Amino acid sequence: MARDRYRRSARGNRLGLMIVGTLLLAAGAAAFAAGQGLFGSGPAGTPLMSDTVNEVLTGQWVPYVAVAVAFVAGFLALRWLLVQGMNDTVGRLRLEHGDGGNVEMSESAARGALEQEIAEYPGVRRAKARLTESGDEPHLRLALTLDEDADVARVWHRVREEALANLRSALDLESVPAVIRMSMTTPAKNPRRVLA
């Protein structure tokens, strides 16, 4: 669902850039050809702001067309910005749904519990999670910041075997597709102390 929206957005971006690029390329090629005399000596020898151009630009309709073009360009630019700023994070996760009603959970509650669990693993400095795609079949994006001396394999194993298993169990799902990104950082000046 969200993936389709982002594909449409990317397709729209490519199409828009292709149209604008083609128009600019055509205008530049036409100007170059006119300047080189490929359309005859008349256009090549005529000044850019000739009497004909000045006459057209002083018409009464020109300001109205300019305002209309500015409004359309502004609307398209605003729409493009809004589409770029859309977030694919789901708001609510559906745990059960049927004739009697729906059982839902806030995405932030599931995300917060997961982040808190993983942040307590040895070597993990920070965990940032997002549940995306849909409320019925969420996907997980997890970014971990590890200490420089962290045991990466052990952290990966615990995330896979414990944290993701707990998330699947809490959401009552067979699987939760996940993308996990780990990055390293220098050790903290005041390392976290764990009381035994």
Side-chain angles (χ1 to χ4, degrees):
M1 197 161 88
R3 183 177 293 163
D4 291 340
R5 184 177 67 219
Y6 283 104
R7 284 184 182 155
R8 283 194 309 270
S9 174
R11 198 175 313 126
N13 284 345
R14 286 192 297 270
L15 180 64
L17 288 172
M18 186 179 72
I19 290 170
V20 169
T22 303
L23 290 174
L24 291 175
L25 183 64
F32 180 75
Q36 294 300 316
L38 295 177
F39 298 134
S41 60
T46 306
L48 188 60
M49 295 300 288
S50 65
D51 293 337
T52 308
V53 173
N54 283 332
E55 191 176 307
V56 169
L57 291 178
T58 56
Q60 288 185 337
W61 55 271
V62 172
Y64 300 109
V65 170
V67 168
V69 168
F71 270 120
V72 169
F75 172 75
L76 292 174
L78 182 62
R79 184 184 178 285
W80 180 80
L81 283 173
L82 291 174
V83 167
Q84 302 312 307
M86 284 185 180
N87 192 345
D88 63 344
T89 303
V90 297
R92 309 220 31 102
L93 300 167
R94 281 185 219 95
L95 304 178
E96 290 181 22
H97 45 86
D99 297 335
N102 295 334
V103 177
E104 295 182 341
M105 170 191 270
S106 168
E107 182 270 345
S108 61
R111 176 177 40 85
L114 180 70
E115 289 174 351
Q116 184 176 0
E117 177 184 355
I118 295 173
E120 292 175 0
Y121 293 168
V124 176
R125 168 94 41 104
R126 184 175 61 234
K128 184 77 176 145
R130 279 185 16 196
L131 291 165
T132 63
E133 300 299 327
S134 76
D136 292 319
E137 298 176 4
H139 292 205
L140 173 67
R141 292 184 187 171
L142 181 62
L144 302 178
T145 304
L146 307 179
D147 290 328
E148 189 177 68
D149 56 349
D151 184 350
V152 177
R154 182 162 169 73
V155 170
W156 163 245
H157 180 73
R158 286 195 70 183
V159 166
R160 194 173 121 202
E161 300 299 323
E162 297 175 24
L164 292 180
N166 292 342
L167 180 65
R168 285 192 305 270
S169 174
L171 299 179
D172 196 25
L173 293 170
E174 292 287 325
S175 67
V176 177
V179 174
I180 301 172
R181 188 190 67 182
M182 295 186 192
S183 59
M184 306 295 274
T185 185
T186 55
K189 293 179 183 175
N190 299 316
R192 189 183 332 162
R193 295 193 174 115
V194 179
L195 299 175

